[in-house]
Amino acid sequence: MNKPKIFITRKWPDAIEAKLKQRYDVTLNLADRPLSAEEFKTALQEYDAVCPTVCDSFPAEVLNVVNKRCKILANFGVGFNHINTPVAKQQNIAITNTPDVLTHSTADIAMTLLLMSARRGAEGDRLVRNKQWQGWSPTHMLSSNVTGATLGLIGFGRIAQAMARKAHHGFDMNILYFKPSPAEEYVIDDLQATRCETIEELLQKADFVSLHCPGGDATRHLINADRLNYMQPSAHLINTARGDVIDTQALINALKNKQIAGAGLDVYEAEPNVPDELLALDNVSLLPHLGSATLATRIAMGEKVLSNLDAHFSGKPLPNE
Ligand code: DGY
């Protein structure tokens, strides 16, 4: 019997590509070239499964292509706001993702950005590299305490809770969260976490605000100029969720005017483009979407995709639909 035809949109870890080759008739993207909408349409017409990542857009215009062969988009990543899910459903295309395995690496990056922003890590690194450091002084590059400060999490799913555990048990931080319904009792007890009734309440009270809600229309510009006004001038904003959760221009203005102390960003509205105005600011720490970028995590994500593909092609329930 012919093996199912699988299309992988970007370069994956070698170990996973080797397994894909054993099990499927797979087309890889060894050059890791970003592909166009036309190439995605052709892939939907020619392959049984297409495996995209966060940087591959599947809007209605692509999903509605005629004569489709593809019955599953097995996404390499947990977020799926780059896929128009209602249209995929109409078109009888299943969608799977890779939850759980990237929780800790993403929470680690959120904590990294929090520390970088609080302690001016990126700015200090630039100073040393540019040979501008004049030596130690009691008032040089003073920054904010992390230990004992208050962390407010907007969205309180797996990644937010993992960050809260690191912050509370490792850095003695007080935990606030905003989520429409209260978290489970055992989570609240473990973290001594307090739920805020509104986002505004959390923004007013937190020294560090970390975003953990999904991207998409419902959360687009959730943090806008109006909401940034609620943050304390000493507070920092951390985003490892999706770029469009923040109105970038409003954030640039708030950072320029010192309305907030700093920000740490791993995600951007128009990745990989980062506005020059943001690049010019010293009080923002910038990472290139590294949340899940450890080798072990990327291999685990690949394993998840494999198990979703294997289930799909053997007619079993999809583990991560
Ligand atoms: C995801 O999985 O959605 C991440 O943003 C990619 O690491």
Side-chain angles (χ1 to χ4, degrees):
M1 210 177 76
N2 287 342
K3 289 178 177 174
K5 282 185 76 183
I6 312 285
F7 187 81
I8 307 294
T9 63
R10 300 299 295 262
K11 174 82 186 91
W12 286 13
D14 293 341
I16 299 297
E17 290 186 339
K19 287 191 182 179
L20 280 163
K21 279 197 242 169
Q22 277 165 10
R23 294 183 210 175
Y24 297 106
D25 175 0
V26 63
T27 298
L28 302 170
N29 179 356
L30 294 178
D32 204 22
R33 181 176 62 84
L35 304 179
S36 66
E38 282 313 305
E39 286 170 296
F40 293 142
K41 287 186 195 173
T42 308
L44 291 173
Q45 290 170 323
E46 294 183 356
Y47 291 82
D48 299 301
V50 175
C51 302
T53 69
V54 58
C55 42
D56 307 319
S57 207
F58 281 77
E61 199 261 321
V62 169
L63 291 166
N64 284 333
V65 66
V66 293
N67 299 328
K68 272 182 292 297
R69 172 169 174 168
C70 174
K71 287 273 174 277
I72 180 168
L73 288 173
N75 187 54
F76 184 92
V78 68
F80 47 85
N81 59 308
H82 51 290
I83 301 170
N84 186 327
T85 47
V87 171
K89 203 169 176 183
Q90 268 166 23
Q91 298 283 341
N92 279 325
I93 302 175
I95 302 173
T96 58
N97 69 346
T98 63
D100 300 318
V101 292
L102 47 71
T103 299
H104 280 290
S105 47
T106 308
D108 287 351
I109 281 287
M111 212 52 219
T112 302
L113 282 169
L114 186 156
L115 289 160
M116 283 169 76
S117 191
R119 302 305 309 270
R120 304 174 63 179
E123 195 185 339
D125 180 81
R126 281 193 294 276
L127 193 87
V128 176
R129 276 178 207 283
N130 293 337
K131 300 193 187 293
Q132 287 167 343
W133 185 32
Q134 307 283 324
W136 191 92
S137 137
T139 52
H140 182 227
M141 284 198 71
L142 302 184
S143 60
S144 316
N145 274 346
V146 171
T147 299
T150 297
L151 169 63
L153 300 132
I154 296 182
F156 204 51
R158 288 176 290 255
I159 298 171
Q161 290 181 19
M163 181 186 191
R165 280 195 295 276
K166 294 169 205 295
H168 181 67
H169 297 298
F171 292 87
D172 210 12
M173 294 181 87
N174 308 308
I175 305 299
L176 304 177
Y177 71 97
F178 173 80
K179 163 179 179 281
S181 55
E184 288 168 274
E185 212 51 54
Y186 76 94
V187 175
I188 294 175
D189 286 351
D190 175 42
L191 299 169
Q192 298 294 295
T194 306
R195 178 169 171 265
C196 293
E197 289 292 326
T198 61
I199 293 180
E200 286 75 14
E201 181 194 342
L202 181 143
L203 294 172
Q204 273 173 327
K205 292 180 173 166
D207 299 309
F208 297 91
V209 174
S210 189
L211 303 177
H212 297 278
C213 47
D217 289 345
T219 55
R220 192 179 143 70
H221 292 186
L222 184 84
I223 302 299
N224 53 21
D226 185 41
R227 289 219 163 102
L228 285 164
N229 271 326
Y230 284 87
M231 289 180 69
Q232 304 174 32
S234 55
H236 297 253
L237 179 64
I238 309 303
N239 190 11
T240 54
R242 284 292 182 260
D244 60 4
V245 178
I246 299 178
D247 175 344
T248 309
Q249 193 54 52
L251 175 64
I252 290 169
N253 297 342
L255 289 166
K256 266 191 187 163
N257 303 333
K258 305 276 168 13
Q259 198 183 317
I260 64 172
L265 308 178
D266 190 40
V267 287
Y268 306 87
E269 287 201 73
E271 290 180 21
N273 299 316
V274 179
D276 287 343
E277 270 184 287
L278 204 53
L279 298 176
L281 291 170
D282 254 338
N283 54 351
V284 61
S285 302
L286 306 168
L287 295 180
H289 204 146
L290 294 181
S292 63
T294 71
L295 178 60
T297 296
R298 291 282 162 84
I299 288 176
M301 289 163 71
E303 292 287 359
K304 280 245 163 193
V305 178
L306 272 170
S307 62
N308 282 302
L309 290 173
D310 293 349
H312 173 78
F313 289 111
S314 55
K316 297 198 180 121
L318 298 172
N320 309 108
E321 189 162 22

PDB file of all heavy atoms in Angstrom, residues 235-263:
ATOM      1  N   ALA A 235       6.491  49.584  36.469  1.00  0.00           N
ATOM      2  CA  ALA A 235       6.122  48.212  36.077  1.00  0.00           C
ATOM      3  C   ALA A 235       6.714  47.813  34.717  1.00  0.00           C
ATOM      4  O   ALA A 235       7.101  48.659  33.907  1.00  0.00           O
ATOM      5  CB  ALA A 235       4.605  48.088  36.044  1.00  0.00           C
ATOM      6  N   HIS A 236       6.760  46.491  34.514  1.00  0.00           N
ATOM      7  CA  HIS A 236       7.292  45.924  33.264  1.00  0.00           C
ATOM      8  C   HIS A 236       6.231  45.020  32.630  1.00  0.00           C
ATOM      9  O   HIS A 236       5.522  44.310  33.328  1.00  0.00           O
ATOM     10  CB  HIS A 236       8.537  45.071  33.560  1.00  0.00           C
ATOM     11  CG  HIS A 236       9.670  45.858  34.127  1.00  0.00           C
ATOM     12  ND1 HIS A 236      10.800  46.157  33.405  1.00  0.00           N
ATOM     13  CD2 HIS A 236       9.837  46.422  35.342  1.00  0.00           C
ATOM     14  CE1 HIS A 236      11.634  46.862  34.153  1.00  0.00           C
ATOM     15  NE2 HIS A 236      11.067  47.036  35.342  1.00  0.00           N
ATOM     16  N   LEU A 237       6.218  45.007  31.292  1.00  0.00           N
ATOM     17  CA  LEU A 237       5.253  44.185  30.544  1.00  0.00           C
ATOM     18  C   LEU A 237       6.016  43.102  29.776  1.00  0.00           C
ATOM     19  O   LEU A 237       6.953  43.411  29.035  1.00  0.00           O
ATOM     20  CB  LEU A 237       4.485  45.082  29.563  1.00  0.00           C
ATOM     21  CG  LEU A 237       3.450  44.405  28.669  1.00  0.00           C
ATOM     22  CD1 LEU A 237       2.300  43.812  29.502  1.00  0.00           C
ATOM     23  CD2 LEU A 237       2.885  45.407  27.657  1.00  0.00           C
ATOM     24  N   ILE A 238       5.603  41.847  29.947  1.00  0.00           N
ATOM     25  CA  ILE A 238       6.293  40.723  29.299  1.00  0.00           C
ATOM     26  C   ILE A 238       5.313  40.038  28.347  1.00  0.00           C
ATOM     27  O   ILE A 238       4.187  39.718  28.736  1.00  0.00           O
ATOM     28  CB  ILE A 238       6.749  39.688  30.373  1.00  0.00           C
ATOM     29  CG1 ILE A 238       7.528  40.362  31.524  1.00  0.00           C
ATOM     30  CG2 ILE A 238       7.558  38.561  29.730  1.00  0.00           C
ATOM     31  CD1 ILE A 238       8.754  41.139  31.105  1.00  0.00           C
ATOM     32  N   ASN A 239       5.747  39.773  27.122  1.00  0.00           N
ATOM     33  CA  ASN A 239       4.849  39.085  26.174  1.00  0.00           C
ATOM     34  C   ASN A 239       5.534  37.906  25.503  1.00  0.00           C
ATOM     35  O   ASN A 239       6.456  38.068  24.703  1.00  0.00           O
ATOM     36  CB  ASN A 239       4.332  40.057  25.103  1.00  0.00           C
ATOM     37  CG  ASN A 239       3.214  39.443  24.263  1.00  0.00           C
ATOM     38  OD1 ASN A 239       2.691  38.373  24.609  1.00  0.00           O
ATOM     39  ND2 ASN A 239       2.848  40.106  23.181  1.00  0.00           N
ATOM     40  N   THR A 240       5.055  36.699  25.845  1.00  0.00           N
ATOM     41  CA  THR A 240       5.504  35.483  25.152  1.00  0.00           C
ATOM     42  C   THR A 240       4.304  34.815  24.474  1.00  0.00           C
ATOM     43  O   THR A 240       4.402  33.656  24.072  1.00  0.00           O
ATOM     44  CB  THR A 240       6.132  34.477  26.137  1.00  0.00           C
ATOM     45  OG1 THR A 240       5.191  34.230  27.189  1.00  0.00           O
ATOM     46  CG2 THR A 240       7.432  34.978  26.716  1.00  0.00           C
ATOM     47  N   ALA A 241       3.179  35.540  24.379  1.00  0.00           N
ATOM     48  CA  ALA A 241       1.951  34.926  23.847  1.00  0.00           C
ATOM     49  C   ALA A 241       1.915  35.108  22.324  1.00  0.00           C
ATOM     50  O   ALA A 241       2.480  34.276  21.593  1.00  0.00           O
ATOM     51  CB  ALA A 241       0.735  35.544  24.529  1.00  0.00           C
ATOM     52  N   ARG A 242       1.282  36.188  21.874  1.00  0.00           N
ATOM     53  CA  ARG A 242       1.277  36.528  20.460  1.00  0.00           C
ATOM     54  C   ARG A 242       1.453  38.037  20.337  1.00  0.00           C
ATOM     55  O   ARG A 242       0.940  38.796  21.171  1.00  0.00           O
ATOM     56  CB  ARG A 242      -0.034  36.100  19.784  1.00  0.00           C
ATOM     57  CG  ARG A 242      -0.124  34.604  19.511  1.00  0.00           C
ATOM     58  CD  ARG A 242       0.875  34.148  18.446  1.00  0.00           C
ATOM     59  NE  ARG A 242       0.783  32.734  18.133  1.00  0.00           N
ATOM     60  CZ  ARG A 242       1.617  31.797  18.632  1.00  0.00           C
ATOM     61  NH1 ARG A 242       2.585  32.128  19.451  1.00  0.00           N
ATOM     62  NH2 ARG A 242       1.483  30.534  18.269  1.00  0.00           N
ATOM     63  N   GLY A 243       2.142  38.467  19.270  1.00  0.00           N
ATOM     64  CA  GLY A 243       2.475  39.879  19.120  1.00  0.00           C
ATOM     65  C   GLY A 243       1.264  40.797  19.118  1.00  0.00           C
ATOM     66  O   GLY A 243       1.288  41.884  19.702  1.00  0.00           O
ATOM     67  N   ASP A 244       0.179  40.343  18.455  1.00  0.00           N
ATOM     68  CA  ASP A 244      -0.945  41.267  18.291  1.00  0.00           C
ATOM     69  C   ASP A 244      -1.801  41.413  19.546  1.00  0.00           C
ATOM     70  O   ASP A 244      -2.783  42.142  19.542  1.00  0.00           O
ATOM     71  CB  ASP A 244      -1.792  40.888  17.076  1.00  0.00           C
ATOM     72  CG  ASP A 244      -2.374  39.501  17.169  1.00  0.00           C
ATOM     73  OD1 ASP A 244      -2.184  38.844  18.209  1.00  0.00           O
ATOM     74  OD2 ASP A 244      -3.043  39.077  16.196  1.00  0.00           O
ATOM     75  N   VAL A 245      -1.430  40.758  20.628  1.00  0.00           N
ATOM     76  CA  VAL A 245      -2.138  40.989  21.899  1.00  0.00           C
ATOM     77  C   VAL A 245      -1.827  42.417  22.393  1.00  0.00           C
ATOM     78  O   VAL A 245      -2.612  43.027  23.116  1.00  0.00           O
ATOM     79  CB  VAL A 245      -1.760  39.925  22.955  1.00  0.00           C
ATOM     80  CG1 VAL A 245      -2.444  40.185  24.288  1.00  0.00           C
ATOM     81  CG2 VAL A 245      -2.125  38.527  22.453  1.00  0.00           C
ATOM     82  N   ILE A 246      -0.670  42.949  21.975  1.00  0.00           N
ATOM     83  CA  ILE A 246      -0.294  44.317  22.359  1.00  0.00           C
ATOM     84  C   ILE A 246      -0.408  45.229  21.139  1.00  0.00           C
ATOM     85  O   ILE A 246       0.022  44.856  20.035  1.00  0.00           O
ATOM     86  CB  ILE A 246       1.166  44.373  22.862  1.00  0.00           C
ATOM     87  CG1 ILE A 246       1.350  43.492  24.095  1.00  0.00           C
ATOM     88  CG2 ILE A 246       1.585  45.806  23.172  1.00  0.00           C
ATOM     89  CD1 ILE A 246       2.791  43.472  24.626  1.00  0.00           C
ATOM     90  N   ASP A 247      -0.947  46.431  21.335  1.00  0.00           N
ATOM     91  CA  ASP A 247      -0.887  47.470  20.307  1.00  0.00           C
ATOM     92  C   ASP A 247       0.551  48.021  20.352  1.00  0.00           C
ATOM     93  O   ASP A 247       0.915  48.750  21.276  1.00  0.00           O
ATOM     94  CB  ASP A 247      -1.931  48.545  20.634  1.00  0.00           C
ATOM     95  CG  ASP A 247      -1.861  49.726  19.680  1.00  0.00           C
ATOM     96  OD1 ASP A 247      -0.841  49.882  18.972  1.00  0.00           O
ATOM     97  OD2 ASP A 247      -2.818  50.504  19.670  1.00  0.00           O
ATOM     98  N   THR A 248       1.352  47.635  19.367  1.00  0.00           N
ATOM     99  CA  THR A 248       2.788  47.937  19.421  1.00  0.00           C
ATOM    100  C   THR A 248       3.059  49.432  19.498  1.00  0.00           C
ATOM    101  O   THR A 248       3.933  49.879  20.245  1.00  0.00           O
ATOM    102  CB  THR A 248       3.508  47.352  18.181  1.00  0.00           C
ATOM    103  OG1 THR A 248       3.131  45.987  18.060  1.00  0.00           O
ATOM    104  CG2 THR A 248       5.016  47.449  18.294  1.00  0.00           C
ATOM    105  N   GLN A 249       2.308  50.219  18.715  1.00  0.00           N
ATOM    106  CA  GLN A 249       2.567  51.663  18.722  1.00  0.00           C
ATOM    107  C   GLN A 249       2.268  52.249  20.108  1.00  0.00           C
ATOM    108  O   GLN A 249       3.017  53.100  20.609  1.00  0.00           O
ATOM    109  CB  GLN A 249       1.724  52.361  17.641  1.00  0.00           C
ATOM    110  CG  GLN A 249       2.161  53.789  17.368  1.00  0.00           C
ATOM    111  CD  GLN A 249       3.661  53.915  17.019  1.00  0.00           C
ATOM    112  OE1 GLN A 249       4.160  53.226  16.127  1.00  0.00           O
ATOM    113  NE2 GLN A 249       4.390  54.767  17.743  1.00  0.00           N
ATOM    114  N   ALA A 250       1.211  51.751  20.740  1.00  0.00           N
ATOM    115  CA  ALA A 250       0.873  52.238  22.092  1.00  0.00           C
ATOM    116  C   ALA A 250       1.988  51.867  23.065  1.00  0.00           C
ATOM    117  O   ALA A 250       2.362  52.668  23.938  1.00  0.00           O
ATOM    118  CB  ALA A 250      -0.456  51.647  22.536  1.00  0.00           C
ATOM    119  N   LEU A 251       2.547  50.664  22.905  1.00  0.00           N
ATOM    120  CA  LEU A 251       3.641  50.243  23.796  1.00  0.00           C
ATOM    121  C   LEU A 251       4.879  51.118  23.556  1.00  0.00           C
ATOM    122  O   LEU A 251       5.540  51.552  24.516  1.00  0.00           O
ATOM    123  CB  LEU A 251       3.983  48.759  23.574  1.00  0.00           C
ATOM    124  CG  LEU A 251       5.180  48.255  24.367  1.00  0.00           C
ATOM    125  CD1 LEU A 251       4.916  48.316  25.882  1.00  0.00           C
ATOM    126  CD2 LEU A 251       5.555  46.826  23.967  1.00  0.00           C
ATOM    127  N   ILE A 252       5.192  51.365  22.287  1.00  0.00           N
ATOM    128  CA  ILE A 252       6.353  52.216  21.973  1.00  0.00           C
ATOM    129  C   ILE A 252       6.183  53.583  22.655  1.00  0.00           C
ATOM    130  O   ILE A 252       7.106  54.089  23.308  1.00  0.00           O
ATOM    131  CB  ILE A 252       6.511  52.375  20.433  1.00  0.00           C
ATOM    132  CG1 ILE A 252       6.969  51.045  19.823  1.00  0.00           C
ATOM    133  CG2 ILE A 252       7.483  53.499  20.085  1.00  0.00           C
ATOM    134  CD1 ILE A 252       6.923  50.982  18.305  1.00  0.00           C
ATOM    135  N   ASN A 253       4.979  54.148  22.543  1.00  0.00           N
ATOM    136  CA  ASN A 253       4.739  55.461  23.166  1.00  0.00           C
ATOM    137  C   ASN A 253       4.924  55.377  24.683  1.00  0.00           C
ATOM    138  O   ASN A 253       5.566  56.239  25.285  1.00  0.00           O
ATOM    139  CB  ASN A 253       3.331  55.979  22.842  1.00  0.00           C
ATOM    140  CG  ASN A 253       3.160  56.212  21.349  1.00  0.00           C
ATOM    141  OD1 ASN A 253       4.142  56.316  20.615  1.00  0.00           O
ATOM    142  ND2 ASN A 253       1.919  56.274  20.887  1.00  0.00           N
ATOM    143  N   ALA A 254       4.381  54.317  25.293  1.00  0.00           N
ATOM    144  CA  ALA A 254       4.466  54.184  26.756  1.00  0.00           C
ATOM    145  C   ALA A 254       5.924  54.027  27.197  1.00  0.00           C
ATOM    146  O   ALA A 254       6.335  54.565  28.234  1.00  0.00           O
ATOM    147  CB  ALA A 254       3.636  52.989  27.220  1.00  0.00           C
ATOM    148  N   LEU A 255       6.723  53.306  26.397  1.00  0.00           N
ATOM    149  CA  LEU A 255       8.143  53.114  26.754  1.00  0.00           C
ATOM    150  C   LEU A 255       8.929  54.407  26.545  1.00  0.00           C
ATOM    151  O   LEU A 255       9.794  54.761  27.352  1.00  0.00           O
ATOM    152  CB  LEU A 255       8.747  51.980  25.919  1.00  0.00           C
ATOM    153  CG  LEU A 255       8.272  50.560  26.258  1.00  0.00           C
ATOM    154  CD1 LEU A 255       8.679  49.586  25.160  1.00  0.00           C
ATOM    155  CD2 LEU A 255       8.812  50.096  27.609  1.00  0.00           C
ATOM    156  N   LYS A 256       8.609  55.097  25.447  1.00  0.00           N
ATOM    157  CA  LYS A 256       9.312  56.364  25.157  1.00  0.00           C
ATOM    158  C   LYS A 256       9.043  57.387  26.239  1.00  0.00           C
ATOM    159  O   LYS A 256       9.936  58.100  26.670  1.00  0.00           O
ATOM    160  CB  LYS A 256       8.796  56.935  23.821  1.00  0.00           C
ATOM    161  CG  LYS A 256       9.603  56.547  22.620  1.00  0.00           C
ATOM    162  CD  LYS A 256       9.150  57.390  21.438  1.00  0.00           C
ATOM    163  CE  LYS A 256       9.820  56.903  20.182  1.00  0.00           C
ATOM    164  NZ  LYS A 256       9.152  57.393  18.980  1.00  0.00           N
ATOM    165  N   ASN A 257       7.765  57.473  26.658  1.00  0.00           N
ATOM    166  CA  ASN A 257       7.376  58.478  27.651  1.00  0.00           C
ATOM    167  C   ASN A 257       7.666  58.040  29.077  1.00  0.00           C
ATOM    168  O   ASN A 257       7.223  58.698  30.013  1.00  0.00           O
ATOM    169  CB  ASN A 257       5.870  58.776  27.551  1.00  0.00           C
ATOM    170  CG  ASN A 257       5.508  59.234  26.163  1.00  0.00           C
ATOM    171  OD1 ASN A 257       6.344  59.795  25.471  1.00  0.00           O
ATOM    172  ND2 ASN A 257       4.268  58.994  25.751  1.00  0.00           N
ATOM    173  N   LYS A 258       8.285  56.862  29.249  1.00  0.00           N
ATOM    174  CA  LYS A 258       8.592  56.312  30.589  1.00  0.00           C
ATOM    175  C   LYS A 258       7.310  56.159  31.417  1.00  0.00           C
ATOM    176  O   LYS A 258       7.320  56.284  32.641  1.00  0.00           O
ATOM    177  CB  LYS A 258       9.609  57.183  31.341  1.00  0.00           C
ATOM    178  CG  LYS A 258      10.910  57.433  30.588  1.00  0.00           C
ATOM    179  CD  LYS A 258      11.846  56.270  30.803  1.00  0.00           C
ATOM    180  CE  LYS A 258      13.054  56.156  29.957  1.00  0.00           C
ATOM    181  NZ  LYS A 258      13.647  57.048  29.117  1.00  0.00           N
ATOM    182  N   GLN A 259       6.216  55.905  30.696  1.00  0.00           N
ATOM    183  CA  GLN A 259       4.947  55.667  31.376  1.00  0.00           C
ATOM    184  C   GLN A 259       5.004  54.313  32.087  1.00  0.00           C
ATOM    185  O   GLN A 259       4.352  54.099  33.087  1.00  0.00           O
ATOM    186  CB  GLN A 259       3.897  55.653  30.283  1.00  0.00           C
ATOM    187  CG  GLN A 259       2.497  55.834  30.689  1.00  0.00           C
ATOM    188  CD  GLN A 259       1.649  55.693  29.428  1.00  0.00           C
ATOM    189  OE1 GLN A 259       1.989  56.225  28.356  1.00  0.00           O
ATOM    190  NE2 GLN A 259       0.553  54.968  29.552  1.00  0.00           N
ATOM    191  N   ILE A 260       5.793  53.366  31.524  1.00  0.00           N
ATOM    192  CA  ILE A 260       6.127  52.121  32.224  1.00  0.00           C
ATOM    193  C   ILE A 260       7.657  51.982  32.176  1.00  0.00           C
ATOM    194  O   ILE A 260       8.312  52.620  31.339  1.00  0.00           O
ATOM    195  CB  ILE A 260       5.434  50.868  31.620  1.00  0.00           C
ATOM    196  CG1 ILE A 260       5.897  50.603  30.184  1.00  0.00           C
ATOM    197  CG2 ILE A 260       3.922  50.983  31.695  1.00  0.00           C
ATOM    198  CD1 ILE A 260       5.392  49.258  29.629  1.00  0.00           C
ATOM    199  N   ALA A 261       8.193  51.128  33.076  1.00  0.00           N
ATOM    200  CA  ALA A 261       9.654  51.070  33.184  1.00  0.00           C
ATOM    201  C   ALA A 261      10.304  50.268  32.057  1.00  0.00           C
ATOM    202  O   ALA A 261      11.409  50.583  31.610  1.00  0.00           O
ATOM    203  CB  ALA A 261      10.049  50.477  34.528  1.00  0.00           C
ATOM    204  N   GLY A 262       9.628  49.209  31.619  1.00  0.00           N
ATOM    205  CA  GLY A 262      10.273  48.385  30.608  1.00  0.00           C
ATOM    206  C   GLY A 262       9.344  47.320  30.066  1.00  0.00           C
ATOM    207  O   GLY A 262       8.227  47.117  30.561  1.00  0.00           O
ATOM    208  N   ALA A 263       9.837  46.628  29.034  1.00  0.00           N
ATOM    209  CA  ALA A 263       9.070  45.527  28.455  1.00  0.00           C
ATOM    210  C   ALA A 263      10.040  44.462  27.979  1.00  0.00           C
ATOM    211  O   ALA A 263      11.210  44.748  27.682  1.00  0.00           O
ATOM    212  CB  ALA A 263       8.209  46.021  27.292  1.00  0.00           C
TER     213      ALA A 263
END
